[in-house]
Amino acid sequence: MTAGDDGGGRVQYAVHGLLSAWREHDQRCTEVLDGTRREAENLARMLDGIDGLAGVDGLDSLGEQVAGIMKTGTAQAEHELRRAGESYATETRALLALLTGDPGLTTAAFTLPDPGSGIAGIVATFTTDTSRRYVGHLLGDHDASSTQPADAAGTAATTGTAASPAHVDTFTAMFPDHLRPTITAMITHPRSHAIQAHGPDVTDDALQARLTWRKDPVGRDNHAHRWTLHDDGTVTTNHGVGATAGRFNSIEALANPLQAVVHACGNTTDGLDTYLNANSKGKIARIYVPATLAGLEPGDTAAFRGAGAKTAKMADDWQKGRTYAMHNGADPMPIVPTNPTVDGADPGAAMIFRKAGDRWIMTTCYPVAQQPQDFTRLRGSTS
Amino acid sequence: MTPRTENLRLWVGNWFDDQGDPETYVEGCDTAPEWLADDTDDFRSFRDELAAHIRDSSHKPLAGNEPQWINDEWLRNLHYDLFGPEPPPGDAYPVAPERWGRARWTPYLLHNVGRSDETSGEGAPAWLRARGLTYADIDSAPDSEHFRPEPDGYQERLERLTREGARPAHPDEPWYDQHAT
């Protein structure tokens, strides 16, 4: 890689590709070896059952001979498969040494697993805790993972820049009459995109497209969000998203966190203003509403996450790999379905409020598996 | 000990969750020079406190049970994204200024800097100019990283800082029972 070459993310991308290939190789080994052993047994049984062979010169030991050949064949197959496994091991260890900053990884002695010994066998070939954790997280997601090609992302539906009046009605109906004009203004401001970007109209395809290729589910066409799939397979956009993309499955579920906040503020606009003013900096307030307070149920949320993106570092590495795929038109990074409300250690909703002029609006609201430490966490009551 | 103030908590919590909401993170970095000039909502105190937490390994803003070193490195990245390559005062593990952008990437670079003005966020040209970087510099080193591996002796240093009261002990740390206050 030389300066100016578009290498950013190449290592992160390659680690995913190699480990996936190794895991798939290992699964094929299991099938091949199981199949070969089964055939050898079948053949031995078959020959065993032919009575006439007994006593016929040169034929009486045929069963044994065939079994011997099959056994040798199996051992040879195993040997060849093991050599392929060795290539995967060498390459992956070199890349992981770069990623984890542990050069010893390439030189430490290791035991190659028997072909077909599964994820545990692959993980065991790595000699440091850091690398074993890294590979374990990544392969733990492998079998449930899928990929979305860029052209499928291109055809994923977008929701449009304005929230539908029906959705706005459903949302505001969750609030006391006297608050409805305030709530309407909070969710329909031009900078508000909770319903459009995290509401039930965002399809699974659109979530996958957002995560894999950073395609804006709203479909905004300005400099900040425009999305272009070029003829050479590369993708350009400035739309931002981390290693998870999620939505609420109903407008009611999306409205629940705001309802909890407003309720905790005494169901008054003044109470809400006071609370958000007290918790704001630079005209932004972010409030975390735990799932229990928001009344979020397992069926209320859905999301996709980068495969293996279970720690801050791995989430960033996954995103770096995504950048590589976008810049180079490479195959998509793998993703897994997840439900923050079910899978999260401390699930809830993150809400971002912004002061527009002299009033607070809600710019967004999205499901989260666990909250960063510095978020403002909604308690039962704000006073 | 530098206590985590509400000022720091709200600046970091409201603006700088790069995983959940890169858009606000990026906007915060683009607006930082303005906030610094006007000292908006005690932004300068926030800058100084951020530097002190990096110096003492005394803050863990990330979700989940991430090791202190990972939190330190994340805060160093945030410090660079907001204030540029000069290491925070007293940082025992400063990143060499010339590595930033070329061999060290950050959330801002990940989320907002492409290969040209057209493929970067609107604030990127000014942000890069202020840091003396061009698009050709970005990720030009093959060993580009965003977190360094934990250095030798770091755990001993953490234990000492905890013992001296410069940082709080955390339940997952071996000396927690001994030093927790």
Side-chain angles (χ1 to χ4, degrees):
Chain A
M1 203 183 313
T2 55
D5 181 11
D6 195 18
R10 174 174 297 184
V11 174
Q12 289 85 354
Y13 182 85
V15 162
H16 272 270
L18 265 175
L19 277 171
S20 294
W22 191 358
R23 169 65 180 147
E24 279 150 27
H25 166 77
D26 188 69
Q27 285 170 316
R28 278 195 306 275
C29 287
T30 309
E31 288 162 24
V32 168
L33 292 171
D34 283 357
T36 313
R37 284 190 197 105
R38 252 195 324 274
E39 277 168 36
E41 282 162 18
N42 286 346
L43 205 54
R45 256 199 311 277
M46 205 170 75
L47 292 167
D48 219 27
I50 303 176
D51 294 337
L53 291 179
V56 178
D57 216 22
L59 282 183
D60 56 349
S61 60
L62 187 62
E64 269 170 42
Q65 283 173 31
V66 170
I69 290 165
M70 294 301 286
K71 207 169 159 187
T72 312
T74 308
Q76 257 167 13
E78 232 180 292
H79 179 70
E80 292 301 321
L81 293 171
R82 185 186 291 271
R83 281 181 42 171
E86 197 167 350
S87 309
Y88 285 121
T90 308
E91 295 290 328
T92 318
R93 286 147 56 85
L95 289 175
L96 265 189
L98 279 177
L99 269 194
T100 60
D102 182 2
L105 202 53
T106 48
T107 49
F110 70 101
T111 313
L112 203 62
D114 290 332
S117 58
I119 289 173
I122 296 175
V123 171
T125 62
F126 293 86
T127 48
T128 62
D129 285 347
T130 309
S131 58
R132 271 197 297 273
R133 251 198 313 276
Y134 203 101
V135 174
H137 280 324
L138 225 156
L139 288 179
D141 274 348
H142 175 270
D143 295 0
S145 73
S146 61
T147 53
Q148 185 196 51
D151 51 358
T155 58
T158 51
T159 55
T161 49
S164 84
H167 283 345
V168 174
D169 284 351
T170 307
F171 194 109
T172 53
M174 309 262 298
F175 294 82
D177 285 350
H178 71 280
L179 286 175
R180 282 183 198 162
T182 304
I183 300 298
T184 304
M186 286 184 84
I187 61 171
T188 57
H189 188 276
R191 297 199 70 153
S192 304
H193 59 262
I195 291 175
Q196 302 91 313
H198 298 286
D201 295 343
V202 179
T203 62
D204 280 0
D205 277 352
L207 279 182
Q208 295 181 37
R210 183 168 197 224
L211 179 60
T212 311
W213 300 106
R214 285 172 55 185
K215 188 188 178 202
D216 179 22
V218 179
R220 288 165 284 193
D221 197 32
N222 54 4
H223 181 85
H225 298 286
R226 187 181 309 130
W227 188 87
T228 311
L229 170 58
H230 303 275
D231 290 343
D232 61 0
T234 62
V235 172
T236 49
T237 184
N238 295 321
H239 179 72
V241 60
T244 306
R247 66 151 188 262
F248 293 94
N249 289 332
S250 68
I251 292 293
E252 289 83 352
L254 174 61
N256 272 335
L258 182 59
Q259 198 184 32
V261 170
V262 170
H263 181 76
C265 294
N267 276 327
T268 66
T269 311
D270 282 353
L272 183 63
D273 278 353
T274 305
Y275 179 62
L276 295 178
N277 285 337
N279 287 293
S280 72
K281 286 288 171 187
K283 297 187 176 175
I284 289 268
R286 186 176 330 226
I287 308 296
Y288 186 78
V289 184
T292 45
L293 272 185
L296 288 178
E297 302 284 341
D300 286 342
T301 53
F304 289 88
R305 171 172 62 64
K310 294 172 186 166
T311 67
K313 174 167 170 49
M314 293 192 70
D316 286 354
D317 283 349
W318 186 89
Q319 291 176 70
K320 198 70 173 166
R322 174 178 65 192
T323 301
Y324 179 83
M326 292 172 67
H327 282 181
N328 295 281
D331 287 342
M333 286 289 280
I335 59 175
V336 288
T338 179
N339 184 345
T341 307
V342 176
D343 305 332
D346 175 26
M351 316 175 64
I352 302 181
F353 298 91
R354 178 183 287 270
K355 203 155 201 179
D358 61 352
R359 67 197 310 167
W360 284 101
I361 61 159
M362 182 177 87
T363 55
T364 193
C365 175
Y366 51 93
V368 181
Q370 55 184 341
Q371 69 151 92
Q373 309 297 337
D374 289 333
F375 277 21
T376 297
R377 190 180 181 94
L378 183 72
R379 311 285 167 189
S381 157
T382 64
S383 52
Chain B
M1 178 166 337
T2 306
R4 183 192 67 170
T5 64
E6 278 294 277
N7 188 43
L8 178 123
R9 184 184 73 74
L10 288 169
W11 272 114
V12 175
N14 287 356
W15 285 90
F16 301 111
D17 173 27
D18 60 318
Q19 286 297 326
D21 176 51
E23 218 173 292
T24 309
Y25 185 102
V26 165
E27 186 188 340
C29 296
D30 288 339
T31 318
E34 196 183 302
W35 287 334
L36 205 53
D38 300 344
D39 196 18
T40 305
D41 291 350
D42 299 319
F43 191 69
R44 289 180 201 157
S45 303
F46 159 64
R47 176 196 56 188
D48 297 344
E49 188 182 334
L50 177 62
H53 285 308
I54 293 170
R55 181 192 65 211
D56 296 337
S57 299
S58 53
H59 189 39
K60 292 182 90 173
L62 297 174
N65 196 18
E66 299 280 355
Q68 182 68 57
W69 174 255
I70 293 291
N71 279 273
D72 292 357
E73 287 285 86
W74 186 85
L75 289 170
R76 283 188 185 92
N77 290 342
L78 175 62
H79 191 275
Y80 174 79
D81 282 347
L82 291 172
F83 307 116
E86 192 64 33
D91 185 2
Y93 307 100
V95 174
E98 67 275 11
R99 283 186 69 80
W100 290 108
R102 299 175 182 89
R104 170 90 171 199
W105 49 283
T106 66
Y108 189 94
L109 286 157
L110 176 70
H111 294 298
N112 208 47
V113 178
R115 292 173 297 179
S116 64
D117 286 353
E118 178 54 32
T119 56
S120 301
E122 275 166 3
W127 188 92
L128 289 170
R129 226 176 8 256
R131 285 158 181 77
L133 291 171
T134 65
Y135 290 108
D137 293 329
I138 305 305
D139 276 326
S140 50
D143 58 343
S144 187
E145 65 193 0
H146 66 313
F147 297 145
R148 293 167 293 180
E150 186 179 300
D152 288 343
Y154 178 76
Q155 289 300 318
E156 289 75 13
R157 177 188 162 83
L158 273 192
E159 191 276 329
R160 179 175 62 76
L161 288 167
T162 316
R163 181 160 31 86
E164 292 172 358
R167 67 181 295 276
H170 294 277
D172 58 322
E173 293 168 351
W175 48 77
Y176 178 73
D177 290 338
Q178 213 175 331
H179 296 318
T181 48

